[in-house]
Amino acid sequence: MEEEKKEEKKQTKTGFFKRVWYSITKIEKYPDMASEGLGRALGYLARITAILTVILCAGMMYKTYNIVQKGVNYIQNEFPEFRYEDGKINVEAENEIIIPEDKSILGKIIVDTKTEDEQKINQYINDITETEEGAIILKDRIILKNSSVVGTISYTYKESFESFGVSEFTKQDVINYANSSKIVTLYVSIFLTIFIYAFIMYLLTIISNVVLLSFFGYITTLLARIKMRYVAVFNMSAYALTLSVILNMLYVAVNIFVTFNMEYFQVMYVAVAAIYLVAAILILKADFMKKQLELMKIAEAEAIVKKEMEQEEKDNKEKEERRKKDKEEEKNNREQKKKDKEEKENLGNEAEGSNA
């Protein structure tokens, strides 16, 4: 018996890709999928998040590869000779080198490995602060400015490169490394780092969206007067978010090649999921009402059948009573006739006796 139950359970489980398809095209399947449990819903979210993260990482790696190639070409053809040794970089240039924002992913870059004048360095900091993003490459450190961070961040070369086991390199070493197979290791490291970070961030974001959506869905069930456990609404919310996540995947994929910003994408993201969830709840409500109507019809039919059976039983009872009554009357008549006959015979005998 237990084995049969296990087999039935296995048969009722829906595969991941079928689950994705049902989540988009068959809203009426939501209750069935939700009934498979919270673990299945969370596993589904984790898988779909992993796919989204892989697309994001692939896009970022594609961009990184292009940036590295452009950077290598720039260093090889336009940037002067340089050398790193003993925690210091020396660029063979008489004046500072300024790389404009449109040619750099870091924003405005100022390279000056000759100056140690703090006043001049502060001027450089003011310059990159005005552009909100940028970098200053000095002799012994790099200063970074990011729009999301107040102020600047400074890293010394010695601490940074020593962690990678690098003590010295030249311009040609950088070019050779970028063009060798060794850089694949760097790409893999970047990919894994981005994947882990992005997966955690995306998963937390998606789960938070599911929680918010489930609250909305639970309120909808109360308004629709459907008794549902919160966990069931949560599971349905996880599947309702599928199309939104896929649209997000497409948005990320397109942005890899064509950078653009959709202002109300987040609103659409939530709205699509909410529409799916409400539709699923209303379908559930309609099914519930349909079943109730069917039950009412069955109850009415049962009442009619019961009434007919009671009437039939009553008729049969009356017939039986009439039959018994007729039988009793017939018996009484026979007894009366017999009695009358006996009385006549007795009278006849008495008359014969008196004549004698």
Side-chain angles (χ1 to χ4, degrees):
M1 285 292 287
E2 287 182 6
E3 288 180 3
E4 286 178 6
K5 283 181 181 178
K6 283 180 181 178
E7 284 180 10
E8 283 178 11
K9 218 171 187 180
K10 283 180 183 177
Q11 287 175 356
T12 55
K13 286 182 179 179
T14 312
F16 172 72
F17 291 105
K18 190 175 279 188
R19 201 177 289 264
V20 172
W21 178 249
Y22 285 169
S23 297
I24 299 170
T25 61
K26 295 188 177 181
I27 302 173
E28 65 274 10
K29 292 282 186 181
Y30 280 19
D32 295 335
M33 293 190 292
S35 66
E36 291 179 16
L38 179 62
R40 295 279 291 178
L42 291 175
Y44 174 79
L45 287 177
R47 286 188 185 185
I48 206 164
T49 303
I51 293 171
L52 175 61
T53 308
V54 167
I55 292 171
L56 173 70
C57 291
M60 293 191 75
M61 292 311 300
Y62 175 78
K63 283 186 173 181
T64 302
Y65 175 78
N66 287 337
I67 289 165
V68 168
Q69 293 304 309
K70 286 179 182 178
V72 170
N73 289 333
Y74 176 77
I75 290 171
Q76 189 170 6
N77 300 319
E78 299 180 41
F79 202 78
E81 293 291 328
F82 62 86
R83 182 180 185 84
Y84 169 75
E85 192 175 15
D86 297 328
K88 294 179 182 179
I89 286 180
N90 180 37
V91 178
E92 296 177 6
E94 293 181 4
N95 301 315
E96 69 270 14
I97 300 169
I98 298 174
I99 303 171
E101 297 171 67
D102 57 344
K103 291 186 178 180
S104 167
I105 59 166
L106 296 175
K108 186 177 183 179
I109 298 177
I110 301 171
V111 182
D112 190 346
T113 59
K114 298 289 190 285
T115 187
E116 292 183 1
D117 184 359
E118 288 298 324
Q119 191 173 352
K120 197 171 185 180
I121 293 170
N122 288 333
Q123 182 59 48
Y124 291 155
I125 292 172
N126 291 334
D127 289 345
I128 64 170
T129 302
E130 286 177 5
T131 60
E132 293 189 348
E133 291 193 358
I136 304 166
I137 298 174
L138 301 172
K139 181 168 63 175
D140 58 347
R141 67 189 187 277
I142 181 171
I143 300 171
L144 299 174
K145 169 62 184 170
N146 191 288
S147 57
S148 60
V149 179
V150 178
T152 57
I153 305 169
S154 180
Y155 298 98
T156 62
Y157 301 132
K158 193 169 185 178
E159 289 178 359
S160 301
F161 288 129
E162 275 185 358
S163 62
F164 292 101
V166 177
S167 58
E168 61 177 341
F169 58 82
T170 62
K171 172 182 173 178
Q172 193 58 46
D173 291 333
V174 173
I175 294 168
N176 292 340
Y177 179 79
N179 292 327
S180 70
S181 59
K182 291 180 181 178
I183 200 169
V184 174
T185 308
L186 178 64
Y187 287 145
V188 171
S189 300
I190 293 170
F191 181 90
L192 291 174
T193 303
I194 295 172
F195 179 84
I196 293 167
Y197 174 78
F199 177 79
I200 293 169
M201 294 304 295
Y202 267 125
L203 186 60
L204 291 174
T205 302
I206 288 173
I207 288 175
S208 65
N209 287 332
V210 171
V211 170
L212 290 172
L213 194 62
S214 63
F215 284 143
F216 171 74
Y218 192 71
I219 292 168
T220 305
T221 60
L222 294 176
L223 294 173
R225 295 181 181 179
I226 302 174
K227 287 185 178 180
M228 282 185 72
R229 292 189 306 148
Y230 172 75
V231 69
V233 181
F234 180 91
N235 293 345
M236 287 173 65
S237 301
Y239 300 117
L241 210 64
T242 300
L243 183 60
S244 297
V245 174
I246 290 172
L247 290 173
N248 195 17
M249 288 180 191
L250 294 173
Y251 182 64
V252 170
V254 171
N255 260 279
I256 294 170
F257 304 100
V258 182
T259 304
F260 71 99
N261 181 42
M262 192 179 289
E263 191 175 352
Y264 297 104
F265 181 80
Q266 190 62 31
V267 176
M268 182 196 71
Y269 181 93
V270 176
V272 169
I275 290 167
Y276 265 85
L277 183 59
V278 170
I281 291 169
L282 293 178
I283 288 171
L284 194 63
K285 172 73 173 177
D287 288 342
F288 178 73
M289 290 177 69
K290 189 178 177 182
K291 285 177 182 177
Q292 270 195 327
L293 191 63
E294 287 175 357
L295 287 171
M296 285 173 67
K297 285 181 179 178
I298 291 167
E300 285 176 7
E302 284 179 348
I304 292 168
V305 170
K306 189 178 179 182
K307 194 174 180 181
E308 288 177 352
M309 287 177 70
E310 285 176 354
Q311 186 63 40
E312 189 178 347
E313 190 178 344
K314 189 179 178 183
D315 292 344
N316 290 335
K317 198 173 182 181
E318 286 177 356
K319 283 179 182 178
E320 184 66 23
E321 285 177 358
R322 280 200 301 270
R323 191 179 66 79
K324 282 181 180 179
K325 193 176 180 182
D326 292 342
K327 197 173 181 182
E328 195 173 334
E329 284 179 1
E330 189 180 342
K331 186 180 177 183
N332 290 336
N333 289 334
R334 281 201 304 269
E335 287 178 354
Q336 186 64 39
K337 283 179 181 179
K338 188 178 179 183
K339 192 177 180 183
D340 292 344
K341 189 178 179 183
E342 286 176 354
E343 285 178 357
K344 283 180 182 180
E345 287 177 355
N346 290 332
L347 287 171
N349 291 333
E350 286 176 3
E352 285 177 4
S354 61
N355 289 331

